[in-house]
Amino acid sequence: MTDEKPLGFSTRAVHAGQEPDPATGAIMTPVYLTSTYVQPAPGKHKGFDYARTAHPTRLALERNLAALEGGKFGLCFASGMAATSTVVQTLSSGDHVVCGNDVYGGTYRVFTKVFRRFGLSFSFVNVCDLKAVEAAITPSTKLVWIETPTNPLLQIVDIAAVCALVKTKGVKVAVDNTFATPYLQQPLSLGADLVVHSTTKYLGGHSDVVGGAVVTGDAALHESLKFLQNAVGAVPGPLDCFLVLRGTKTLALRMERHCDNARRVAEHLARHPEVAKVHYPGLPSHRGRDIARRQMRDFGGMISFELKADVYRALRMASSCKVFSLAESLGGVESLIGHPASMTHGSIPREERLKAGLTDGLIRLSVGIEDADDLIADLDQAIASSK
Ligand SMILES: *Cc1c(COP(=O)(O)O)cnc(C)c1O
């Protein structure tokens, strides 16, 4: 049956990696609360010997995420940062990484404050500019780290173009696909070597779990990451894996609503007389719109914008919403509003932030799955009351 049609995304989301429990027939993957497994004879086991090394609930999630990203191998971690750190731990002292200058604040922090101390070097460049990427590559460069859409400015990086550029130089490409999710964008099919996730966000989808994952199609890379997963040990617990596995089942449905709501909110803000600038890849004015149309199924649920007037107004506005909650994080069913300069991106020095275009007045929205009319009315009242 070689010409069998591959299963669609939603079917894989519901079924991949999951089989009825062989012991009981339970249709949902059990939460195996165990740290070890009984061996019939020394060194003989059913694929599970110790739960840091291998765990059945985790394995189901790893297979599910690999299937969603179109990769062969998935590995889960205790957080997105643990996943990111494990990827960097495949490198050695002296190696160089080229990283986008508009990435998650915690990524910037772990690269500069932790891994630099171990002799790795990092260059932060605008990865939307292929010439800047090319200029930053040195003979020691081993990895290019991309986030797209970027956080919090929602710029679009051309994944296929970056991969084509660096592939000939033996440089690997990792894409943090947290903002887009595999429903909207599959970096491995565009030439990336690794996909990294904070499953805390859209994959979990309900703001009730912290987790991370790495997916690859490269067996050698997978082996070294799997070795590190066990050797370093930043593994997720079984209940956390269960929650993410529950989340991915509705990923496609949720993302469709996130995208529809975000499009309506972005269009509304773009027309609002008090709003100076809206960053949303689905707006006709967005510079990366054509690339986004090519590499994404839709434009996602994240928006950032600036009000006319001062920073203090932005702070007042962010505190005045009633449906949007003022909080870090993103990707849950509920809408969140944040002020990157003082919240998610506070760990990036101000001059670095400004260089990347992240102004003190920027507000970020994670648009949830509520009714779009309520979200728009809430933003309008918050803008009006912040005057
Ligand atoms: C949240 C986030 C991370 C870090 O993930 P944690 O699960 O919080 O450790 C990394 N990248 C992006 C894009 C994120 O939004």
Side-chain angles (χ1 to χ4, degrees), residues 183 251-261 263 298:
Y183 181 65
L251 181 66
L253 290 170
R254 287 185 287 110
M255 289 316 292
E256 280 170 15
R257 178 64 84 90
H258 282 296
C259 293
D260 287 347
N261 280 359
R263 180 175 11 261
D298 203 341

Side-chain angles (χ1 to χ4, degrees), residues 78-82 84 103-104 106-107 147 151 176-179 196-201 210-212 329-330 364:
S79 67
M81 289 320 304
T84 296
V103 293
Y104 179 69
T107 301
E147 231 177 271
N151 179 14
D176 181 335
N177 206 26
T178 301
F179 269 38
V196 178
H197 277 284
S198 167
T199 57
T200 314
K201 316 296 168 51
V210 169
S329 199
L330 61 111
R364 191 185 80 176

Side-chain angles (χ1 to χ4, degrees), residues 59-80:
L59 184 65
L61 177 60
E62 291 176 335
R63 289 182 170 158
N64 185 256
L65 295 179
L68 294 187
E69 282 291 358
K72 286 204 193 79
F73 313 102
L75 291 170
C76 290
F77 295 91
S79 67

Side-chain angles (χ1 to χ4, degrees), residues 19-28 30 32:
E19 269 141 31
D21 175 41
T24 62
I27 191 160
M28 286 301 137
Y32 289 96

